[in-house]
Amino acid sequence: MRLDRFLCELNQGTRSEVKELIRRGAVTVNGLPAGDPAARVNEETDCVSVRGKKLIYRKFFYYMLNKPAGLISATRDRVSATVMELLRPEHRRPDLFPAGRLDRDTEGFLLLTNDGGLAHRLLSPGKHVDKMYRVSVEHELSPEDLRHLEEGVDIGEDRLTLPAKVLQQEERVILLTLHEGKFHQVKRMLEAVNNKVTALKRISFGGLPLDETLQPGDYRELTEDEVKKLYGT
Ligand code: URA
């Protein structure tokens, strides 16, 4: 790829800023000062440095965010603050996006990535990736409600919801594992058993548990193993 594009992809500045870096002699390729922004570099084999610091090329980025309530899961919005605003400047990239959606008032695991292929795999309706939610409800659920939620309920779609796993945690708190992701699914499922969600947090996604050390609004990169696990789901 072109040297200026390589530098932009590694967050070294805008196209004009990296051109200026090259012009000022701050960039070397395999130890030699680079002069041409259009020069071709091989991202796997060439050694590109900026002010003596070697850049490691990466194509894809993966962040586990503990989404706080109050932000919307979108890359941009004309009115509301989005989850992308939680990224520190050094992690911002125009190609990052939330893989999937949590409602504005939902907290928990949201994957931010620029890997469109993985996002597609995880979100495609036929894929049935596991998502576990901690659901607080208005009224205690009866054994019959729990059974209905597990077996499938009518949320106004063509068919009942797919079988789910339900675990009662406290009197008015359940852990609900879904293998599909319809719009507002958890809230609609609880409405289907005449209840109401009072708080919702996604605590696991694609087999990865939310890192308990992440406070709402914090994020961290996924480890290589975690990325592999998502690919394996
Ligand atoms: N189900 C919902 O109702 N809301 C979410 O944010 C996620 C799942």
Side-chain angles (χ1 to χ4, degrees):
M1 78 171 68
R2 282 174 60 121
L3 177 60
D4 51 0
R5 175 155 173 230
F6 177 95
L7 294 167
C8 288
E9 287 211 357
L10 290 178
N11 265 354
Q12 298 303 304
T14 60
R15 201 46 91 95
S16 54
E17 285 166 348
V18 304
K19 281 186 175 153
E20 181 59 15
L21 276 179
I22 296 167
R23 202 189 57 74
R24 281 194 278 119
V27 181
T28 58
V29 178
N30 301 325
L32 299 173
D36 181 5
R40 309 296 300 180
V41 288
N42 181 323
E43 56 270 20
E44 308 294 339
T45 55
D46 285 329
C47 173
V48 180
S49 302
V50 174
R51 295 188 201 90
K53 193 160 177 264
K54 184 172 178 219
L55 301 178
I56 311 283
Y57 184 72
R58 284 174 53 197
K59 192 165 179 193
F60 294 130
F61 296 81
Y62 308 89
Y63 300 106
M64 175 192 292
L65 168 69
N66 183 0
K67 179 193 173 296
L71 296 182
I72 62 166
S73 306
T75 43
R76 64 177 76 85
D77 190 88
R78 271 184 292 135
V79 190
S80 310
T82 75
V83 290
M84 305 315 284
E85 290 165 42
L86 295 167
L87 290 173
R88 293 185 282 281
E90 66 270 28
H91 296 138
R92 290 194 184 164
R93 300 173 50 92
D95 55 355
L96 282 173
F97 60 91
R101 254 178 209 211
L102 292 177
D103 296 338
R104 185 197 287 260
D105 55 357
T106 301
E107 292 187 7
F109 192 156
L110 189 62
L111 174 69
L112 306 181
T113 184
N114 61 342
D115 185 344
L118 177 65
H120 181 74
R121 285 167 62 124
L122 293 172
L123 302 174
S124 67
K127 193 71 184 100
H128 306 320
V129 166
D130 279 8
K131 301 159 197 95
M132 191 194 281
Y133 296 89
R134 184 174 194 277
V135 192
S136 306
V137 293
E138 201 164 68
H139 316 288
E140 191 178 352
L141 290 150
S142 67
E144 196 177 321
D145 292 336
L146 297 176
R147 189 171 53 77
H148 282 315
L149 290 172
E150 271 187 335
E151 289 177 355
V153 286
D154 182 358
I155 59 169
E157 302 271 335
D158 302 342
R159 50 162 184 76
L160 300 186
T161 54
L162 291 179
K165 246 186 254 153
V166 185
L167 218 101
Q168 179 111 34
Q169 256 214 328
E170 295 168 28
E171 201 173 88
R172 278 180 285 162
V173 179
I174 56 168
L175 297 184
L176 179 62
T177 305
L178 303 183
H179 313 289
E180 58 184 342
K182 299 252 186 291
F183 187 59
H184 295 324
Q185 180 156 349
V186 176
K187 291 174 185 164
R188 289 159 72 198
M189 286 176 75
L190 271 299
E191 274 165 25
V193 291
N194 301 312
N195 214 311
K196 194 167 179 248
V197 173
T198 56
L200 186 56
K201 179 172 184 176
R202 185 154 71 187
I203 56 173
S204 138
F205 178 64
L208 299 185
L210 176 67
D211 183 335
E212 293 289 334
T213 65
L214 293 174
Q215 297 302 308
D218 283 354
Y219 65 94
R220 69 158 172 81
E221 280 206 58
L222 292 190
T223 63
E224 261 180 50
D225 280 351
E226 287 172 332
V227 175
K228 272 193 203 138
K229 192 153 186 197
L230 285 184
Y231 263 96
T233 54

